[in-house]
Amino acid sequence: MVAKVRIRGELLEYLLELSRDFYPNEFAGFLREKDGVLEEVLIAPGGYFGPTSAFFNTWLLPLDGEIKGTVHSHPDHVCQPSPQDLWFFSKFGGFHLIICYPYSLEDVRAYDSEGNPVEIEVIP
């Protein structure tokens, strides 16, 4: 079981900005890790970002061994994974961030591929 996800503070701030910019729709992306720290977000081209879901064709993603997780926003106050989120988590192992409205640092949750909560460590 994963005990902690490490994320660069600059990336976390950017993810919060993206969540605010996409509101009232969800946003979703894939997280790239370098040396054990989540450093970048990839947003697949041609995605659909709606008020209750986001989806994209994963065939359009690059073959990239540094993709270690996902991120998506919830345009409501619920930061818990839905059944659809849990299914998605199981397909893209690693770490999964959910950022819920109103998109502050306190509104970010991390989960493992089974939906268990994971501690977040912000790296300057």
Side-chain angles (χ1 to χ4, degrees):
M1 181 171 149
V2 177
K4 184 186 299 188
V5 60
R6 301 174 75 214
I7 184 169
R8 186 78 50 209
E10 186 176 326
L11 173 60
L12 185 54
E13 289 295 331
Y14 180 60
L15 296 174
L16 291 168
E17 261 184 62
L18 284 173
S19 298
R20 290 183 205 110
D21 288 347
F22 274 78
Y23 181 81
N25 295 322
E26 288 193 11
F27 118 85
F30 294 85
L31 297 169
R32 201 181 253 159
E33 179 185 80
K34 292 184 182 173
D35 299 322
V37 179
L38 299 175
E39 297 271 354
E40 297 177 317
V41 62
L42 298 172
I43 299 176
Y48 166 81
F49 304 99
T52 60
S53 64
F55 59 87
F56 31 79
N57 185 343
T58 56
W59 288 98
L60 297 176
L61 287 172
L63 294 175
D64 188 337
E66 292 180 343
I67 294 176
K68 301 296 182 184
T70 67
V71 59
H72 74 280
S73 64
H74 282 181
D76 58 25
H77 300 285
V78 179
C79 279
Q80 300 298 317
S82 68
Q84 295 83 3
D85 292 338
L86 293 173
W87 178 87
F88 186 69
F89 291 177
S90 73
K91 305 301 178 209
F92 291 93
F95 304 109
H96 307 279
L97 300 181
I98 296 177
I99 305 171
C100 61
Y101 184 84
Y103 313 121
S104 69
L105 287 174
E106 294 77 30
D107 302 311
V108 180
R109 302 289 184 276
Y111 300 92
D112 65 16
S113 60
E114 295 176 357
N116 299 307
V118 173
E119 182 183 341
I120 300 170
E121 179 183 354
V122 179
I123 306 298

